[in-house]
Amino acid sequence: MFHSQFCRSLAGAAFVSGCAMLLSGCASRGPEPLEIRDARLAIQDARSAGADQLAPDLVNAAAAHLTTAQNVWRDRGDSGQTIHYARLADSEARNAQFRARARRAREALELSNRR
């Protein structure tokens, strides 16, 4: 009798401990990947360069990829997919920034050639 009670208590404690470990593993996914921060900064830089007016499609695509990366991280904690979408966002934002700066440089050159 003592042995079966002991086994039941031990099994119950093991079950509770296992559930606690599973729940803590789900809750503590750690900080979001650095690529999300990099993508945020790249979008901010692109907007500062005027890309939201000069290359809005690229800025919007970058923002959409960043949102996807954040959602994947929040909902599934899938670091591979999160990093993939964050890098896409970063790339689109840098492309938008480059295009905005190139367009402004071209406009400045055309203006100086008219003088």
Side-chain angles (χ1 to χ4, degrees), residues 43-60 93 96-97 99-101 103-104 107:
I43 291 170
Q44 189 175 39
D45 290 345
R47 288 183 171 141
S48 294
D52 46 351
Q53 285 87 32
L54 300 172
D57 292 343
L58 293 172
V59 174
N60 291 337
Q97 181 181 2
R99 288 180 187 243
R101 287 186 175 166
R103 183 169 171 187
R104 294 207 184 203
E107 289 170 356

Side-chain angles (χ1 to χ4, degrees), residues 31-45:
E32 64 187 16
L34 294 176
E35 287 82 357
I36 290 179
R37 182 209 58 200
D38 294 342
R40 273 193 210 106
L41 292 172
I43 291 170
Q44 189 175 39
D45 290 345

Side-chain angles (χ1 to χ4, degrees), residues 2 14 23 43 47 60 80 82-84 87 94 97 100-102 105:
F2 174 74
L23 291 173
I43 291 170
R47 288 183 171 141
N60 291 337
T82 298
I83 290 169
H84 170 76
R87 286 180 179 165
R94 290 180 191 279
Q97 181 181 2
R101 287 186 175 166

Side-chain angles (χ1 to χ4, degrees), residues 8-79:
R8 274 191 237 135
S9 296
L10 188 60
F15 177 75
V16 169
S17 295
C19 288
M21 286 190 333
L22 284 174
L23 291 173
S24 70
C26 292
S28 64
R29 136 170 342 138
E32 64 187 16
L34 294 176
E35 287 82 357
I36 290 179
R37 182 209 58 200
D38 294 342
R40 273 193 210 106
L41 292 172
I43 291 170
Q44 189 175 39
D45 290 345
R47 288 183 171 141
S48 294
D52 46 351
Q53 285 87 32
L54 300 172
D57 292 343
L58 293 172
V59 174
N60 291 337
H65 289 310
L66 176 59
T67 298
T68 301
Q70 292 169 324
N71 290 341
V72 167
W73 181 251
R74 183 193 66 230
D75 297 342
R76 295 185 298 210
D78 184 337
S79 61

